[in-house]
Amino acid sequence: TTPLACSTVRGIEDSTNLRGRAGELQALRRLLHAARRSSGGAVVIEGDAGLGKTSLLEAVVGDAEGMRVLRGR
């Protein structure tokens, strides 16, 4: 696996809700890009309360225009 280069993530330094999540955000955007190329797939984001799961998901869902995004709680 190629290590994630966090320096290319757009706007991550401006969001206090996503501070320290550049790697996760970039990984999700890579998966989104792969899905656009018809690779499909699913992602599960889980963890303890207050870790920023919702903020992380919302940051990526904004890039998913024209795609079906399913969310569950």
Side-chain angles (χ1 to χ4, degrees), residues 1-5 26-27 30:
T1 315
T2 304
L4 298 174
Q26 186 167 11
R30 283 183 181 175

Side-chain angles (χ1 to χ4, degrees), residues 2 5 11 15 18 24 32-33 35-36 54 57-58 71 73:
T2 304
S15 175
L18 295 175
E24 291 89 344
L32 182 64
H33 181 70
R36 275 196 201 285
T54 300
L57 180 63
E58 288 173 353
R71 294 173 69 171
R73 290 182 180 234

Side-chain angles (χ1 to χ4, degrees), residues 5 11 14 21 25 31 34 38 42 44 46-47 49 52 57 64 69 71 73:
D14 299 331
R21 297 284 181 232
L25 184 59
L31 291 169
S38 299
V44 175
E46 62 180 359
L57 180 63
V69 176
R71 294 173 69 171
R73 290 182 180 234

